[in-house]
Amino acid sequence: MDLKLTNKVAIILASSDGLGKASALEFASEGAQVIISSRNESKLKTVANEIRQTTNGKVNFFPADVSKKEDIEALVRTTAEKFGSIDILVNNAGGPPAGTFKDFTDED
């Protein structure tokens, strides 16, 4: 299936394992340039290599703790500078309690 993701830039959070890793694999399979992120740099390196070998896709990684504002800013800034845009964000990381986007502050 062609989801028209070729050369789109996708950041996938919490992607060193589980659902995030599976999502990153699928985006790479569809031709997206994938940036995987989690707190564990050694796992990110391993996962990036696995995805590259499986898909022959473009995969980069950036270690970040998304509970820290400065890590989020660095991830977004670095990705935008390197790739020129960010087309897709998969916010797979744990977060605040249920509610709408407008209900939350940055601290939440």
Side-chain angles (χ1 to χ4, degrees), residues 52-105:
R52 283 186 204 110
Q53 290 174 356
T54 303
T55 67
N56 202 28
K58 298 174 185 173
V59 182
N60 292 279
F61 64 90
F62 190 95
D65 180 345
V66 295
S67 69
K68 297 178 180 176
K69 181 180 178 182
E70 60 274 9
D71 282 14
I72 297 167
E73 289 172 345
L75 169 63
V76 170
R77 182 180 56 255
T78 301
T79 301
E81 288 171 359
K82 185 169 186 169
F83 298 101
S85 69
I86 300 168
D87 302 298
I88 302 161
L89 170 64
V90 178
N91 189 8
N92 180 52
T100 67
F101 182 79
K102 292 178 183 180
D103 294 334
F104 299 108
T105 65

Side-chain angles (χ1 to χ4, degrees), residues 21-22 34 36 49 56 77 104:
K21 179 180 174 180
V34 176
I36 59 174
N49 286 330
N56 202 28
R77 182 180 56 255
F104 299 108

Side-chain angles (χ1 to χ4, degrees), residues 5 10-15 17-30 32 34 36 51 90 92:
L5 297 178
I11 296 176
I12 317 293
L13 300 179
S15 47
D17 203 3
L19 184 59
K21 179 180 174 180
S23 297
L25 178 64
E26 290 304 314
F27 275 97
S29 295
E30 289 290 331
V34 176
I36 59 174
I51 293 172
V90 178
N92 180 52

